[in-house]
């Protein structure tokens, strides 16, 4: 998902950090459906609507009507990209959908998905969540085979790698599996073909992908990044696509193939802490339950004397409720979120900045005035937003502000589909907790322990990727790629 070209100053302005959210950003959401009797385009639209939180910069749907492919993709939110008229022009028996987050430089319609390429067996449409780490080698290999690469995404490279194998004489399954063995990194894929759709996860299952069923006879199947993408269309959650598994959905039903011999589950732990919607199910429960649990653990690990507990809407709220339950300190709403504000590149004037423009969060002064406040958030990346929030609380009359973070300090960048800063921009990589507390101007600061975060899952702790907290990357990252983000390690070597 991440672009593979160097971004020049016009594409990526020097002050871009001022425009970016002070959070890790997910790459995208994927959706697929095989249901010949249904309006697959409209069902995909609603599936993507439920997955909108995973990417807000472009959206696309490809439908297959026999050999013919109908495709529409544009920049913008799902509701902006599609209309009733457009959806009616996307007939078919199966569909693949995608909603995408990207950095500014790659925020171009040419990089929107699904990626559609030709093969000797017909077209394929591919939607990808994740990020490859061997793009340089894969790109060189494809260019040697005279592939016409039109975009700067690794997703298009995966599609062309499959097409090349099929053009060598392999069928859909064999060609796809041969291509997957050429890919290293994180990839959860939904792939449409004239024959059916595939759902695929890399051997570590770093990014999620689930299977659902529609109440029909015969049973029809749905694929989505999260279970909330199933719920919205009335599909019932069946199970996860397993790490290293390919599911093949056709008129004959669902078939499963384990395309790698030694899968090692390493689901991104940030999916559970922040990325996925709280109503989505992972490990047999909603993530709301997990987030409340880590809040209770956080309270046990970092007790504080205070009057109220508040959460940073929306992602910090479940952990704040858990913190309240664990500490006995009453929970209250202290910040109100404007939920109709998306990303904007229209910058406020200097006067607006000086008077404290508040586009996203506004404090409840009568709740906060004269109170010792514990504020819970899911992470701190650069610290810029945290400092503004703390100032907002103090301006509203809070006499003490204690910040609690429901994840460990983020000290390393991600290479598997999360858009994080270079290491020198990660505040916890360059400062101690005491130094961070001073910079964001809180009375105290504490993070959830790494052990507490993993213990709360109730699963084998080895089944999660937590490289952004530890630097222990489960998939080997080539040195040139690693050096591009691991600034501190490079400086110390």
């Amino acid at each position: 998902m991440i672009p593979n070209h160097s971004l020049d100053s016009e594409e990526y302005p020097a002050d871009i950090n001022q425009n970016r959210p002070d959070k890790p950003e997910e790459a995208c959401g994927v959706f697929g459906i095989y249901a010949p009797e249904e309006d697959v385009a409209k069902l995909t639209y609603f599936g993507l609507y439920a997955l909108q939180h995973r990417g807000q910069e472009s959206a696309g749907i490809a439908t297959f009507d026999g050999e013919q492919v109908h495709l529409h993709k544009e920049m913008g939110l799902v509701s902006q990209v599609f209309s009733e008229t457009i959806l009616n022009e996307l007939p078919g028996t199966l569909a693949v959908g995608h909603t995408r987050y990207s950095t500014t430089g790659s925020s171009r319609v040419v990089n929107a998905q699904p990626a559609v390429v030709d093969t000797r067996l017909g077209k394929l449409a591919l939607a990808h969540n994740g990020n490859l780490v061997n793009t340089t080698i894969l790109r060189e290999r494809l260019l040697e085979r005279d592939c016409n690469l039109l975009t700067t995404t690794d997703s298009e490279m995966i599609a062309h790698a499959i097409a090349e194998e099929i053009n060598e004489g392999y069928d859909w399954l064999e060609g796809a599996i041969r291509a997957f063995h050429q890919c290293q990194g994180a990839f959860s894929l939904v792939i449409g073909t004239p024959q059916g759709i595939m759902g695929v996860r890399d051997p570590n299952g770093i990014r999620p992908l689930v299977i659902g069923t529609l109440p029909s006879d015969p049973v029809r199947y749905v694929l989505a990044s999260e279970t909330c993408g199933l719920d919205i269309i009335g599909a019932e959650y069946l199970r996860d696509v397993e790490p290293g598994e390919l599911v093949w959905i056709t008129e004959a039903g669902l078939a499963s193939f384990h395309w790698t011999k030694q899968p090692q589950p390493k689901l991104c732990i940030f999916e559970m802490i922040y990325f996925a919607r709280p109503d989505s199910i992972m490990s047999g429960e909603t993530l709301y339950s997990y987030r409340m649990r880590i809040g209770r653990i956080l309270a046990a690990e970092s007790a504080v004397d205070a009057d109220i507990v508040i959460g940073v809407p929306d992602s910090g709220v479940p952990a704040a409720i858990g913190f309240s339950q664990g500490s006995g300190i009453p929970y209250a709403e202290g910040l109100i979120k404007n939920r109709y504000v998306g990303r904007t590149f229209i910058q406020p004037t200097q006067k607006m900045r000086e008077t404290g423009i508040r586009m996203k969060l506004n404090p409840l002064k009568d709740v906060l005035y004269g109170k010792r406040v514990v504020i819970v958030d899911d992470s701190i990346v650069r610290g810029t937003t945290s400092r503004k929030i703390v100032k907002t609380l103090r301006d509203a009359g809070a006499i003490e502000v204690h910040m609690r973070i429901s994840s460990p300090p983020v000290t390393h960048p991600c290479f598997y589909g999360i858009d994080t800063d270079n290491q020198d921009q990660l505040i916890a990589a360059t400062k101690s907790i005491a130094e961070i507390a001073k910079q964001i101007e809180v009375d105290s600061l504490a993070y959830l322990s790494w052990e507490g975060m993993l213990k709360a899952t109730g699963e084998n702790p080895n089944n999660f990727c937590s490289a952004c907290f530890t630097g222990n990357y489960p998939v080997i990252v080539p040195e040139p790629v690693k050096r591009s983000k691991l600034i501190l390690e490079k400086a110390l070597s």
Side-chain angles (χ1 to χ4, degrees):
M1 282 301 309
I2 305 301
N4 301 290
H5 69 317
S6 298
L7 303 178
D8 61 31
S9 58
E10 291 183 358
E11 289 180 301
Y12 206 102
D15 64 347
I16 189 64
N17 283 340
Q18 296 179 13
N19 301 330
R20 296 175 62 192
D22 190 14
K23 295 278 186 181
E25 288 293 316
E26 179 57 280
C28 53
V30 299
F31 187 91
I33 182 169
Y34 182 93
E37 301 83 10
E38 305 285 348
D39 187 339
V40 293
K42 197 163 287 187
L43 290 172
T44 302
Y45 167 85
F46 286 111
L48 294 179
Y49 195 88
L51 298 171
Q52 185 74 85
H53 59 288
R54 300 186 70 89
Q56 298 90 46
E57 293 197 7
S58 67
I61 296 174
T63 61
F64 284 74
D65 189 14
E67 294 289 325
Q68 190 171 4
V69 177
H70 304 273
L71 173 67
H72 183 80
K73 55 184 180 179
E74 284 291 345
M75 306 306 297
L77 300 174
V78 174
S79 59
Q80 297 169 327
V81 170
F82 296 100
S83 64
E84 195 88 34
T85 300
I86 290 171
L87 291 171
N88 288 337
E89 294 172 352
L90 299 174
T93 58
L94 63 94
V96 172
H98 190 268
T99 184
R100 183 172 192 260
Y101 169 82
S102 67
T103 59
T104 303
S106 60
S107 183
R108 298 177 295 168
V109 70
V110 69
N111 287 337
Q113 294 187 37
V116 176
V117 301
D118 290 305
T119 80
R120 68 177 182 86
L121 298 178
K123 293 182 184 292
L124 72 83
L126 179 144
H128 173 208
N129 180 21
N131 194 47
L132 301 187
V133 298
N134 67 326
T135 51
T136 301
I137 295 171
L138 184 57
R139 185 179 183 86
E140 289 174 354
R141 187 180 301 157
L142 291 170
L143 291 175
E144 287 173 0
R145 298 170 80 168
D146 295 325
C147 283
N148 183 25
L149 298 175
L150 301 176
T151 77
T152 58
T153 67
D154 51 359
S155 311
E156 186 199 24
M157 293 183 205
I158 301 172
H160 275 288
I162 297 170
E164 285 299 307
E165 297 301 328
I166 289 170
N167 293 340
E168 290 293 322
Y170 296 99
D171 63 21
W172 287 114
L173 288 175
E174 292 172 319
I177 290 171
R178 287 177 64 87
F180 300 149
H181 282 292
Q182 301 172 38
C183 300
Q184 297 170 18
F187 51 96
S188 285
L189 307 170
V190 174
I191 303 168
T193 75
Q195 190 174 339
I197 61 174
M198 300 179 202
V200 186
R201 287 177 82 191
D202 64 75
N204 298 111
I206 294 173
R207 298 282 149 228
L209 189 63
V210 300
I211 310 168
T213 58
L214 286 172
S216 58
D217 186 18
V219 173
R220 299 306 188 187
Y221 294 93
V222 184
L223 299 166
S225 290
E226 299 175 33
T227 61
C228 64
L230 308 177
D231 297 337
I232 194 171
I233 62 169
E236 183 176 346
Y237 170 65
L238 178 64
R239 66 176 178 87
D240 289 8
V241 177
E242 297 175 5
E245 183 184 17
L246 182 159
V247 295
W248 180 225
I249 301 167
T250 64
E251 184 60 34
L254 184 147
S256 170
F257 304 87
H258 289 84
W259 60 271
T260 185
K261 291 182 179 179
Q262 295 180 318
Q264 296 179 312
K266 290 289 182 182
L267 176 68
C268 171
I269 193 67
F270 247 123
E271 292 282 354
M272 300 189 67
I273 295 169
Y274 169 60
F275 290 134
R277 257 176 44 172
D279 53 328
S280 286
I281 295 171
M282 289 186 182
S283 300
E285 66 176 0
T286 64
L287 292 175
Y288 184 86
S289 296
Y290 171 76
R291 291 168 189 175
M292 282 204 303
R293 194 156 56 247
I294 58 178
R296 290 194 291 269
I297 293 172
L298 182 60
E301 292 181 346
S302 56
V304 63
D305 204 12
D307 300 310
I308 59 171
V309 177
I310 68 172
V312 177
D314 289 313
S315 56
V317 169
I321 294 172
F323 192 99
S324 171
Q325 293 172 347
S327 65
I329 303 170
Y331 172 79
E333 283 196 53
L335 293 167
I336 299 301
K337 181 178 181 180
N338 179 0
R339 290 175 173 82
Y340 300 95
V341 174
R343 294 189 69 189
T344 177
F345 293 93
I346 299 174
Q347 295 303 299
T349 64
Q350 184 59 34
K351 186 175 180 180
M352 288 178 176
R353 289 193 186 99
E354 290 170 357
T355 56
I357 182 171
R358 299 188 186 116
M359 289 184 65
K360 292 189 177 181
L361 296 174
N362 207 34
L364 292 170
K365 295 182 180 180
D366 52 348
V367 173
L368 298 165
Y369 187 81
K371 298 294 197 304
R372 298 170 298 167
V373 178
V374 178
I375 182 164
V376 180
D377 203 357
D378 55 79
S379 61
I380 300 177
V381 177
R382 293 185 300 277
T384 52
T385 298
S386 298
R387 183 172 180 171
K388 291 176 183 176
I389 290 173
V390 171
K391 184 178 186 303
T392 296
L393 299 179
R394 294 198 189 279
D395 290 347
I399 57 174
E400 292 181 14
V401 179
H402 303 272
M403 182 163 278
R404 296 295 181 264
I405 304 299
S406 60
S407 64
V410 177
T411 56
H412 288 73
C414 178
F415 297 93
Y416 307 133
I418 301 174
D419 178 32
T420 54
D421 289 292
N422 288 342
Q423 195 176 26
D424 61 348
Q425 296 295 316
L426 302 175
I427 191 170
T430 61
K431 297 182 185 298
S432 68
I433 293 177
E435 289 171 331
I436 298 170
K438 183 177 180 180
Q439 179 163 322
I440 65 176
E441 300 180 343
V442 288
D443 293 282
S444 72
L445 171 66
Y447 290 80
L448 180 68
S449 68
W450 180 78
E451 294 81 6
M453 172 188 70
L454 293 173
K455 181 181 178 182
T457 66
E459 302 284 329
N460 182 341
N462 294 319
N463 288 351
F464 296 92
C465 175
S466 57
C468 52
F469 309 120
T470 65
N472 296 323
Y473 296 100
V475 181
I476 295 173
V477 181
E479 283 304 315
V481 177
K482 207 182 245 189
R483 285 196 297 270
S484 70
K485 281 191 173 182
L486 288 174
I487 304 296
L488 301 183
E489 275 79 351
K490 182 180 179 182
L492 294 171
S493 62

